[in-house]
Every structure is written in structure tokens, then in C-alpha cells.
Coordinates of all heavy atoms in Angstrom, one line a residue:
M1022 N -13.0 14.3 8.5 CA -12.3 13.2 7.9 C -12.4 13.3 6.4 O -13.4 13.7 5.8 CB -13.0 11.9 8.3 CG -12.3 10.7 7.9 SD -12.9 9.1 8.4 CE -13.9 9.3 9.8
T1023 N -11.2 13.0 5.7 CA -11.1 13.1 4.3 C -10.7 11.7 3.8 O -9.9 11.0 4.4 CB -10.1 14.1 3.9 OG1 -10.4 15.4 4.5 CG2 -10.0 14.3 2.4
T1024 N -11.3 11.3 2.6 CA -11.0 10.1 2.0 C -10.1 10.3 0.8 O -10.3 11.3 0.0 CB -12.3 9.4 1.5 OG1 -13.1 9.2 2.6 CG2 -12.0 8.0 0.9
H1025 N -9.0 9.5 0.6 CA -8.1 9.7 -0.5 C -7.9 8.3 -1.2 O -7.9 7.3 -0.6 CB -6.7 10.1 0.0 CG -6.7 11.4 0.8 ND1 -6.7 12.6 0.2 CD2 -6.7 11.6 2.1 CE1 -6.7 13.5 1.1 NE2 -6.7 13.0 2.3
F1026 N -7.7 8.4 -2.5 CA -7.3 7.2 -3.3 C -5.8 7.4 -3.6 O -5.4 8.5 -4.1 CB -8.1 7.2 -4.6 CG -7.7 6.0 -5.5 CD1 -8.2 4.7 -5.3 CD2 -6.8 6.2 -6.5 CE1 -7.8 3.7 -6.1 CE2 -6.5 5.2 -7.4 CZ -6.9 3.9 -7.1
I1027 N -5.0 6.4 -3.3 CA -3.6 6.5 -3.6 C -3.1 5.2 -4.4 O -3.7 4.2 -4.3 CB -2.7 6.7 -2.3 CG1 -2.8 5.4 -1.5 CG2 -3.1 7.9 -1.6 CD1 -1.6 5.3 -0.6
T1028 N -2.0 5.4 -5.0 CA -1.2 4.3 -5.6 C 0.2 4.3 -5.0 O 0.8 5.4 -4.9 CB -1.2 4.5 -7.1 OG1 -2.5 4.5 -7.6 CG2 -0.4 3.3 -7.8
A1029 N 0.6 3.1 -4.6 CA 2.0 3.1 -4.0 C 2.7 1.9 -4.6 O 2.1 0.9 -5.0 CB 1.9 2.9 -2.5
E1030 N 4.1 2.0 -4.7 CA 4.9 0.9 -5.2 C 5.6 0.4 -4.0 O 6.2 1.1 -3.2 CB 5.9 1.4 -6.2 CG 5.4 1.6 -7.6 CD 6.5 1.7 -8.6 OE1 7.7 1.9 -8.2 OE2 6.1 1.6 -9.8
I1031 N 5.5 -0.9 -3.8 CA 6.1 -1.6 -2.7 C 7.1 -2.6 -3.2 O 6.9 -3.4 -4.1 CB 5.0 -2.4 -1.9 CG1 3.8 -1.4 -1.5 CG2 5.6 -3.0 -0.6 CD1 4.2 -0.3 -0.6
D1032 N 8.3 -2.7 -2.5 CA 9.3 -3.7 -2.9 C 8.8 -5.1 -2.5 O 8.2 -5.2 -1.4 CB 10.6 -3.5 -2.2 CG 11.3 -2.2 -2.6 OD1 11.2 -1.8 -3.8 OD2 12.1 -1.6 -1.8
L1033 N 8.9 -6.0 -3.4 CA 8.5 -7.4 -3.1 C 9.4 -7.9 -2.0 O 10.6 -7.6 -1.9 CB 8.6 -8.3 -4.3 CG 7.7 -8.0 -5.5 CD1 7.9 -9.0 -6.6 CD2 6.2 -8.1 -5.0
Q1034 N 8.8 -8.8 -1.1 CA 9.5 -9.3 0.0 C 9.7 -10.8 -0.1 O 9.1 -11.4 -1.0 CB 8.7 -9.0 1.3 CG 8.3 -7.6 1.5 CD 9.5 -6.7 1.8 OE1 10.4 -7.1 2.5 NE2 9.6 -5.6 1.1
E1035 N 10.4 -11.4 0.8 CA 10.7 -12.8 0.7 C 9.5 -13.7 0.9 O 9.3 -14.8 0.3 CB 11.8 -13.2 1.8 CG 13.1 -12.6 1.5 CD 13.8 -13.2 0.2 OE1 13.7 -14.5 0.0 OE2 14.4 -12.5 -0.5
T1036 N 8.6 -13.3 1.8 CA 7.4 -14.1 2.1 C 6.1 -13.2 2.0 O 6.2 -12.0 2.1 CB 7.4 -14.6 3.6 OG1 7.4 -13.5 4.5 CG2 8.7 -15.4 3.8
P1037 N 5.0 -13.9 1.8 CA 3.7 -13.1 1.8 C 3.5 -12.3 3.1 O 2.9 -11.2 3.1 CB 2.6 -14.2 1.6 CG 3.4 -15.3 0.9 CD 4.8 -15.3 1.5
A1038 N 3.8 -12.9 4.3 CA 3.6 -12.2 5.5 C 4.5 -10.9 5.6 O 4.0 -9.8 6.0 CB 4.0 -13.1 6.7
E1039 N 5.7 -10.9 5.1 CA 6.6 -9.7 5.0 C 6.0 -8.7 4.0 O 6.1 -7.5 4.3 CB 8.0 -10.1 4.7 CG 8.7 -10.9 5.7 CD 10.1 -11.4 5.3 OE1 10.3 -11.5 4.1 OE2 10.9 -11.7 6.2
L1040 N 5.5 -9.2 2.9 CA 4.9 -8.3 1.9 C 3.7 -7.6 2.6 O 3.5 -6.3 2.4 CB 4.5 -9.0 0.7 CG 3.8 -8.1 -0.4 CD1 4.8 -7.0 -0.9 CD2 3.4 -9.0 -1.6
L1041 N 2.8 -8.3 3.3 CA 1.7 -7.7 3.9 C 2.1 -6.6 4.9 O 1.5 -5.5 4.9 CB 0.8 -8.8 4.6 CG -0.3 -8.3 5.5 CD1 -1.4 -7.6 4.6 CD2 -1.0 -9.5 6.2
E1042 N 3.1 -6.9 5.7 CA 3.6 -6.0 6.7 C 4.1 -4.7 6.0 O 3.9 -3.6 6.4 CB 4.7 -6.6 7.5 CG 5.2 -5.7 8.7 CD 6.2 -6.4 9.5 OE1 6.2 -7.6 9.7 OE2 7.0 -5.6 10.1
A1043 N 4.9 -4.9 4.9 CA 5.4 -3.7 4.2 C 4.3 -2.9 3.6 O 4.4 -1.6 3.6 CB 6.4 -4.2 3.1
I1044 N 3.3 -3.5 3.0 CA 2.1 -2.8 2.5 C 1.4 -2.0 3.6 O 1.2 -0.8 3.4 CB 1.2 -3.7 1.8 CG1 1.8 -4.3 0.5 CG2 -0.2 -3.0 1.4 CD1 1.0 -5.4 -0.1
E1045 N 1.1 -2.6 4.7 CA 0.4 -2.0 5.8 C 1.2 -0.8 6.3 O 0.7 0.3 6.6 CB 0.0 -3.0 6.8 CG -1.1 -3.9 6.4 CD -1.4 -5.0 7.4 OE1 -0.5 -5.3 8.3 OE2 -2.4 -5.6 7.3
T1046 N 2.5 -1.0 6.5 CA 3.4 0.1 7.0 C 3.4 1.3 6.1 O 3.2 2.4 6.5 CB 4.8 -0.5 7.2 OG1 4.8 -1.5 8.2 CG2 5.7 0.6 7.7
E1047 N 3.5 1.0 4.8 CA 3.5 2.1 3.8 C 2.2 2.9 3.8 O 2.2 4.1 3.8 CB 3.9 1.6 2.4 CG 4.0 2.7 1.4 CD 5.1 3.7 1.7 OE1 6.1 3.3 2.3 OE2 4.9 4.9 1.3
L1048 N 1.1 2.2 3.8 CA -0.2 2.8 3.8 C -0.5 3.6 5.0 O -1.0 4.7 4.9 CB -1.3 1.8 3.6 CG -1.3 1.0 2.2 CD1 -2.4 0.0 2.2 CD2 -1.3 2.0 1.0
K1049 N -0.1 3.1 6.2 CA -0.3 3.9 7.4 C 0.4 5.2 7.5 O 0.1 6.1 8.3 CB -0.1 3.0 8.6 CG -1.2 1.9 8.8 CD -1.1 1.1 10.1 CE -2.2 0.2 10.1 NZ -2.5 -0.3 11.4
K1050 N 1.5 5.3 6.7 CA 2.3 6.5 6.7 C 1.4 7.7 6.1 O 1.6 8.8 6.4 CB 3.5 6.4 5.8 CG 4.6 5.5 6.4 CD 5.7 5.5 5.4 CE 6.8 4.5 5.9 NZ 7.9 4.4 4.9
Q1051 N 0.4 7.3 5.3 CA -0.4 8.3 4.5 C -1.8 8.4 5.1 O -2.6 9.3 4.6 CB -0.4 7.9 3.1 CG 1.0 7.9 2.5 CD 1.0 7.7 1.0 OE1 0.2 8.3 0.3 NE2 1.8 6.7 0.5
G1052 N -2.2 7.5 6.0 CA -3.6 7.6 6.5 C -4.0 6.2 7.0 O -3.2 5.3 7.1
E1053 N -5.3 6.1 7.3 CA -5.9 4.9 7.8 C -6.5 4.1 6.6 O -7.5 4.6 6.0 CB -6.9 5.1 8.9 CG -7.5 3.9 9.5 CD -6.4 3.1 10.3 OE1 -5.5 3.7 10.9 OE2 -6.5 1.9 10.3
P1054 N -6.0 2.9 6.3 CA -6.5 2.2 5.1 C -8.0 1.7 5.3 O -8.2 1.1 6.4 CB -5.6 1.0 4.9 CG -4.4 1.3 5.8 CD -4.8 2.3 6.9
L1055 N -8.8 2.0 4.4 CA -10.2 1.4 4.4 C -10.2 0.1 3.6 O -10.8 -0.9 4.0 CB -11.2 2.4 3.8 CG -11.4 3.7 4.6 CD1 -12.4 4.6 3.8 CD2 -12.0 3.4 5.9
R1056 N -9.5 0.2 2.5 CA -9.4 -1.0 1.6 C -8.2 -0.8 0.7 O -7.8 0.3 0.4 CB -10.6 -1.3 0.8 CG -10.9 -0.3 -0.2 CD -12.1 -0.7 -1.1 NE -12.4 0.3 -2.1 CZ -11.8 0.3 -3.3 NH1 -10.9 -0.5 -3.6 NH2 -12.2 1.2 -4.2
W1057 N -7.6 -1.9 0.3 CA -6.5 -1.9 -0.6 C -6.4 -3.1 -1.4 O -6.9 -4.2 -1.0 CB -5.1 -1.6 0.1 CG -4.7 -2.6 1.1 CD1 -5.0 -2.5 2.5 CD2 -4.0 -3.8 0.9 NE1 -4.5 -3.6 3.1 CE2 -3.8 -4.4 2.2 CE3 -3.4 -4.4 -0.2 CZ2 -3.2 -5.6 2.3 CZ3 -2.8 -5.6 0.0 CH2 -2.6 -6.2 1.2
A1058 N -5.6 -3.1 -2.5 CA -5.4 -4.3 -3.4 C -4.1 -4.1 -4.1 O -3.7 -3.0 -4.5 CB -6.6 -4.4 -4.4
V1059 N -3.5 -5.3 -4.3 CA -2.3 -5.3 -5.2 C -2.9 -5.4 -6.6 O -3.6 -6.3 -6.9 CB -1.4 -6.5 -4.9 CG1 -0.3 -6.7 -5.9 CG2 -0.9 -6.5 -3.5
T1060 N -2.5 -4.4 -7.4 CA -3.1 -4.4 -8.8 C -2.2 -4.8 -9.9 O -2.6 -5.1 -11.0 CB -3.6 -3.0 -9.1 OG1 -2.6 -2.0 -9.0 CG2 -4.8 -2.6 -8.2
S1061 N -0.9 -4.9 -9.6 CA 0.1 -5.4 -10.5 C 1.4 -5.7 -9.8 O 1.7 -5.2 -8.8 CB 0.3 -4.4 -11.7 OG 1.0 -3.3 -11.3
V1062 N 2.2 -6.6 -10.5 CA 3.5 -7.0 -10.0 C 4.5 -6.9 -11.1 O 4.2 -7.5 -12.2 CB 3.5 -8.4 -9.4 CG1 4.9 -8.9 -9.0 CG2 2.5 -8.4 -8.2
D1063 N 5.6 -6.2 -10.9 CA 6.7 -6.2 -11.9 C 7.8 -7.1 -11.4 O 8.5 -6.7 -10.5 CB 7.1 -4.8 -12.1 CG 8.2 -4.6 -13.2 OD1 8.9 -5.6 -13.5 OD2 8.3 -3.5 -13.7
A1064 N 7.9 -8.3 -12.0 CA 8.9 -9.3 -11.5 C 10.3 -8.8 -11.8 O 11.2 -9.1 -11.0 CB 8.6 -10.6 -12.2
E1065 N 10.5 -8.1 -12.9 CA 11.9 -7.6 -13.2 C 12.3 -6.6 -12.2 O 13.5 -6.7 -11.8 CB 11.9 -7.0 -14.6 CG 12.1 -8.0 -15.7 CD 12.2 -7.3 -17.1 OE1 12.7 -6.2 -17.1 OE2 11.9 -8.0 -18.1
E1066 N 11.5 -5.7 -11.9 CA 11.8 -4.6 -11.0 C 11.6 -5.0 -9.5 O 12.0 -4.2 -8.6 CB 11.0 -3.3 -11.3 CG 11.3 -2.7 -12.6 CD 12.7 -2.1 -12.7 OE1 13.2 -1.6 -11.8 OE2 13.3 -2.3 -13.8
Q1067 N 11.0 -6.1 -9.3 CA 10.6 -6.6 -7.9 C 9.8 -5.6 -7.2 O 10.1 -5.3 -6.0 CB 11.9 -7.0 -7.2 CG 12.7 -8.1 -7.7 CD 11.9 -9.4 -7.5 OE1 11.7 -9.8 -6.4 NE2 11.4 -10.0 -8.6
K1068 N 8.7 -5.1 -7.8 CA 7.8 -4.1 -7.2 C 6.4 -4.6 -7.4 O 6.0 -5.2 -8.4 CB 8.0 -2.8 -7.9 CG 9.3 -2.1 -7.9 CD 9.5 -1.3 -6.7 CE 10.8 -0.5 -6.7 NZ 11.1 0.1 -5.5
A1069 N 5.6 -4.3 -6.4 CA 4.1 -4.5 -6.4 C 3.5 -3.1 -6.4 O 3.9 -2.3 -5.6 CB 3.7 -5.3 -5.2
T1070 N 2.5 -3.0 -7.2 CA 1.7 -1.7 -7.2 C 0.4 -2.0 -6.4 O -0.3 -3.0 -6.6 CB 1.3 -1.3 -8.6 OG1 2.5 -1.1 -9.4 CG2 0.5 0.0 -8.6
V1071 N 0.2 -1.1 -5.4 CA -0.9 -1.2 -4.5 C -1.8 0.0 -4.7 O -1.3 1.2 -4.7 CB -0.5 -1.3 -3.1 CG1 -1.6 -1.3 -2.1 CG2 0.4 -2.5 -2.9
E1072 N -3.1 -0.2 -4.9 CA -4.1 0.9 -4.9 C -4.9 0.8 -3.6 O -5.3 -0.3 -3.2 CB -5.0 0.8 -6.1 CG -4.2 1.0 -7.4 CD -5.1 0.9 -8.6 OE1 -6.3 0.5 -8.5 OE2 -4.6 1.1 -9.7
A1073 N -5.1 2.0 -3.0 CA -5.8 2.0 -1.7 C -6.7 3.2 -1.5 O -6.5 4.2 -2.1 CB -4.7 2.0 -0.6
V1074 N -7.7 3.0 -0.7 CA -8.5 4.1 -0.2 C -8.2 4.3 1.3 O -8.2 3.4 2.0 CB -10.0 3.8 -0.4 CG1 -10.9 4.9 0.2 CG2 -10.4 3.6 -1.9
L1075 N -7.8 5.6 1.6 CA -7.4 5.9 2.9 C -8.2 7.0 3.5 O -8.8 7.8 2.7 CB -5.9 6.4 3.0 CG -4.9 5.5 2.3 CD1 -3.6 6.2 2.2 CD2 -4.7 4.2 3.1
T1076 N -8.3 7.1 4.8 CA -8.9 8.3 5.4 C -7.9 9.0 6.3 O -6.9 8.4 6.8 CB -10.1 7.9 6.4 OG1 -9.6 7.0 7.4 CG2 -11.2 7.3 5.6
T1077 N -8.0 10.3 6.4 CA -7.2 11.1 7.2 C -8.1 12.1 8.0 O -9.2 12.5 7.5 CB -6.2 11.9 6.4 OG1 -6.8 12.7 5.5 CG2 -5.1 11.1 5.7
L1078 N -7.7 12.5 9.2 CA -8.4 13.4 10.0 C -8.1 14.8 9.5 O -7.0 15.1 9.2 CB -8.1 13.3 11.5 CG -8.5 12.0 12.1 CD1 -8.0 11.9 13.6 CD2 -10.0 11.8 12.0
N1079 N -9.1 15.7 9.4 CA -8.9 17.1 9.1 C -8.4 17.8 10.3 O -9.1 17.7 11.4 CB -10.2 17.7 8.6 CG -10.6 17.1 7.3 OD1 -9.9 16.5 6.5 ND2 -11.9 17.3 6.9
T1080 N -7.4 18.6 10.2 CA -6.9 19.3 11.4 C -6.8 20.8 11.1 O -6.9 21.2 10.0 CB -5.5 18.8 11.8 OG1 -4.6 18.9 10.7 CG2 -5.6 17.5 12.3

């Protein structure tokens, strides 16, 4: 198992529930999230920056 730190940009959504789903979907594309946080929001660009620690299986 390998641990990675990533930063991802997520489009802001209409509701908090939709934003949570979008974040989880994007993170799972890259591994299994251990923890994550929204670290900034750009209202003009309608983007949220998410920093996360993920694990992936070594193959």
C-alpha cells in the first residue's frame, strides 16, 4: 500500500450534498481517501481546491 498527497480542483455544485459527492467521486478515481479538506474556494472561477491523503494498492 502506498500513501499519496494530492491536490484537486472541483467545480462548485448547487448544494453541499452535490459538492460532497463530486469531491468523493474525484478522489476515488485516484485512490482510497484517508482524509481530505477543502482548502480554498475561488468564487469567480466556481472552483474548490481539495487537498487529500489517499492510499493505493501496490501491484
Side-chain angles (χ1 to χ4, degrees):
M1022 186 179 335
T1023 305
T1024 304
H1025 301 279
F1026 177 82
I1027 67 156
T1028 301
E1030 280 193 350
I1031 309 294
D1032 292 330
L1033 293 179
Q1034 305 295 316
E1035 292 293 319
T1036 67
E1039 290 173 340
L1040 180 59
L1041 175 60
E1042 185 177 332
I1044 292 169
E1045 289 175 341
T1046 299
E1047 183 62 31
L1048 295 179
K1049 286 188 180 199
K1050 290 179 186 176
Q1051 300 185 48
E1053 185 62 35
L1055 294 176
R1056 66 176 181 83
W1057 60 267
V1059 175
T1060 57
S1061 68
V1062 173
D1063 185 334
E1065 276 186 28
E1066 297 292 324
Q1067 293 291 294
K1068 300 271 186 191
T1070 301
V1071 176
E1072 293 180 354
V1074 176
L1075 309 170
T1076 59
T1077 56
L1078 294 177
N1079 295 340
T1080 55

